[in-house]
Amino acid sequence: MSASASVVGKAELLGLTLEALTAFVVDDLGERPFRARQLYRWVHQRGETELERMTDLPAAFRGRLRERADLTPLRVDLEQRSIDGTVKYRFRTHDDRLIESVYMPSADRRTLCVSTQVGCAMACRFCMTGTLGLLRNLTAAEIVAQVHEVNRRVALDEALPISRPLSNLVFMGMGEPLHNFENLKTALTILQSEEGPNFSHRHITVSTVGLVPMIERLGAETDVKLAISLNASHDAQRSELMPINRKWNIAALIDACQRFPLRQGRRITFEYVLLQGVNDTDADARRLVELLRDVPAKVNLIPYNENPGLGFQSTTEGRAETFRDILAKGHVAAFIRANRGRDIAAACGQLANLQGGEARQTL
Ligand code: SAH
């Protein structure tokens, strides 16, 4: 399935953990281990992409790196700014695939919504990315590169004296993160590393449609926060909206959530897209209260971002509020999430790089 994204014969440097980079630098390039650490810091702490600027590395070493390693798996080819401050970045991979990341600044944080696949195999009926199908997984380097590229641009745009302005990462962009688990995990190891960008587990959320065995692995092998795209209150409804539910139904999903290791005080976020006349009734809200009775949960109610041709409509504001109030009365914390970046098709479920003729051709 996965066409190689790497530049032929070159190592994808951004996707190597410090351990793997050390093995590469020592075994393949014949350098001492401390050079790997220096290089890792340049690349992941300072976000440097130009070998020329890594002035404390010997010229011969830089020369070999130039031949053997790729430091820029993505290049920004479109940047769209929303009136609300959201910025959508479209990236082009070496094999000419297009992916998108969404930067969302707010008063107390700078969040990046990161993509993990080109397209998506999950085929949720209401989601635009789902209409693309899965083209391929992103490599760990391509996942990490989104963060570095946006850090660099935000620091420049906002004239910030820091190399890592992003504070939070949400894996809610294109693709199903747990369907690309190994690369996701490698990317998280790098992004959370102290000698790298050093993101805290408290500031990283991975969202899934509910790949039950992978939820277990996420809990066992990482320490990041979990979000579940629930979007329905009973199986028939969920199977209709989200085909994955035919494989792992709501009971299996809730069971996986109950077993998910939660650090003290932490809750699982449940995302629930409100679709008019489909899943937004009082009865749905009451069923949701029952489902989440024994799960430390927080519900994000997402007003549906309408996508042409998919046939769903957003619920009214009043309906969303009533829905939230029923959850609150049932002691389920619920928030109506503000919509961001709708004007540039950067909102939830709108990432499908359809904004340009060129993009359409490529896909
Ligand atoms: N595949 C993962 C990561 C993507 S997150 C997952 O589904 O969790 C994207 C979120 O946007 C999901 O919660 C999804 O349910 C929601 N979504 C999809 N299409 C949407 C739309 N048109 N309007 C609002 N939310 C949407």
Side-chain angles (χ1 to χ4, degrees), residues 113-114 116-117 120 122 124-129 171-178 206-210 227-231 242 270-275 300 302-307 310 312 337 339 342 347-351:
C113 180
V114 180
T116 53
Q117 296 181 312
C120 184
M122 299 300 124
C124 299
R125 299 281 176 256
F126 46 83
C127 178
M128 209 58 193
T129 311
F171 288 84
M172 300 185 181
M174 297 172 77
E176 166 52 45
L178 299 191
V206 170
S207 180
T208 178
V209 294
I228 303 284
S229 296
L230 187 57
N231 296 334
M242 303 177 70
F270 289 85
E271 293 150 289
Y272 195 100
V273 182
L274 288 165
L275 303 165
N300 274 341
I302 314 178
Y304 182 61
N305 300 303
E306 293 181 12
N307 289 310
L310 297 189
F312 294 98
R337 225 166 60 179
N339 254 306
R342 260 189 187 179
C348 302
Q350 294 189 311
L351 301 183

Side-chain angles (χ1 to χ4, degrees), residues 228 230 254 257 268-272 292 295-300:
I228 303 284
L230 187 57
I254 296 296
C257 290
I268 297 174
T269 300
F270 289 85
E271 293 150 289
Y272 195 100
L292 300 180
V295 189
K298 174 182 111 173
V299 174
N300 274 341

Side-chain angles (χ1 to χ4, degrees), residues 73-81 87-93 96-103 112-113 115 118 132 145-146 149-150 153 174 344-346 350-363:
L74 299 178
R75 94 190 134 70
V76 174
D77 79 340
L78 187 68
E79 194 178 313
Q80 288 174 289
R81 284 168 194 277
V87 185
K88 180 164 80 172
Y89 293 95
R90 187 174 76 182
F91 295 101
R92 191 177 288 275
T93 64
D96 275 328
R97 301 298 189 196
L98 298 169
I99 56 155
E100 294 169 336
S101 316
V102 181
Y103 168 59
L112 187 69
C113 180
S115 290
V118 186
L132 301 173
Q146 295 170 60
E149 286 293 332
V150 175
R153 276 163 190 263
M174 297 172 77
I344 54 167
Q350 294 189 311
L351 301 183
N353 38 62
L354 293 174
Q355 62 277 71
E358 192 196 0
R360 225 171 266 127
Q361 260 174 23
T362 310
L363 288 164

Side-chain angles (χ1 to χ4, degrees), residues 139-268:
T139 62
E142 289 166 331
I143 296 172
V144 170
Q146 295 170 60
V147 179
H148 289 349
E149 286 293 332
V150 175
N151 263 325
R152 197 161 27 246
R153 276 163 190 263
V154 168
L156 274 175
D157 286 352
E158 301 179 20
L160 300 167
I162 39 174
S163 61
R164 205 209 79 182
L166 292 173
S167 60
N168 293 61
L169 301 176
V170 295
F171 288 84
M172 300 185 181
M174 297 172 77
E176 166 52 45
L178 299 191
H179 193 210
N180 185 14
F181 185 77
E182 293 301 335
N183 293 344
L184 171 77
K185 191 178 144 186
T186 303
L188 288 174
T189 303
I190 294 167
L191 293 166
Q192 293 184 264
S193 64
E194 258 176 61
E195 315 227 29
N198 200 16
F199 280 94
S200 159
H201 56 85
R202 288 185 306 275
H203 297 151
I204 300 181
T205 302
V206 170
S207 180
T208 178
V209 294
L211 303 186
V212 164
M214 292 296 140
I215 291 175
E216 199 160 315
R217 285 194 64 187
L218 187 77
E221 298 173 35
T222 79
D223 55 3
V224 297
K225 297 202 282 188
L226 175 66
I228 303 284
S229 296
L230 187 57
N231 296 334
S233 69
H234 62 86
D235 276 322
Q237 185 187 53
R238 193 165 193 269
S239 295
E240 189 60 39
L241 294 171
M242 303 177 70
I244 195 68
N245 197 68
R246 294 173 205 153
K247 195 152 183 188
W248 290 290
N249 65 14
I250 295 180
L253 181 54
I254 296 296
D255 179 60
C257 290
Q258 281 167 338
R259 287 183 286 113
F260 191 79
L262 288 177
R263 288 167 182 257
Q264 230 171 16
R266 206 178 260 189
R267 288 180 289 178
I268 297 174

